[in-house]
Amino acid sequence: MKRKIRVPFYFVLYLVVLVELLAVIIERDTNELELKARIREFETIQDSVISLYSLPIILTVQKETNWLITNRDSVHVLISVTNLQTPEEKANVRYFIKPISGEDENSYMVETDPATGSGHFYFKTNKTGTYSFGVYCILRRQLPKYLPEIILDGIFARIGNDFTAVSDTVYFKINAKRQLREYDKPGRG
């Protein structure tokens, strides 16, 4: 004679609840691991962005320029800038010129190329001589707009909101000379 084994209903219900609880615990652990991995990824991105933005702004300019004075033209000196990261930074670089030789302020100007951030220095005078200048730039660092909010918040929490950068002053000279003209001397045949 066969005997039927009867499993109490509550025991089966207990096993079902245990299996569901194990599934929830495993899912929670998996989600925690994924969250920790994403946080490490965000911190890596933040560190990378912070290291890029902590690089100094470097200006490069030709140290000495020889220029023949004409009545029509001015001399053009390119001021190259490196370590700019975004198009907004390149468009908002402001250059400041410090004349060393005391030249009149109206004889020079600087324009910023919004595509590259480079400066174009123009100088004009009618007097011969050596003119010395210093140049530096100031800009407000701007983070890329495509970065997620969580990364931006982490960057702001670590280094603050003020990203004003100032370059070192770079010095250069312009040697202005007149073209020598040979004239016919009176009395020569």
Side-chain angles (χ1 to χ4, degrees), residues 2-71:
K2 281 187 169 179
R3 235 173 144 196
K4 285 187 175 180
I5 300 177
R6 295 182 69 192
V7 180
F9 173 74
Y10 291 110
F11 181 72
V12 172
L13 188 59
Y14 175 73
L15 289 177
V16 169
V17 169
L18 265 178
V19 169
E20 282 296 317
L21 183 61
L22 284 174
V24 168
I25 290 172
I26 290 172
E27 185 178 345
R28 182 204 63 194
D29 291 346
T30 304
N31 287 342
E32 279 184 8
L33 290 174
E34 288 176 9
L35 179 62
K36 286 179 183 178
R38 293 208 64 186
I39 288 173
R40 278 193 303 272
E41 180 182 334
F42 289 156
E43 288 173 347
T44 302
I45 293 171
Q46 289 170 357
D47 291 341
S48 175
V49 170
I50 289 170
S51 69
L52 278 176
Y53 280 81
S54 52
L55 291 173
I57 304 301
I58 299 172
L59 297 183
T60 308
V61 65
Q62 185 174 333
K63 296 291 181 200
E64 193 167 343
T65 303
N66 294 319
W67 175 57
L68 290 177
I69 298 173
T70 64
N71 291 333

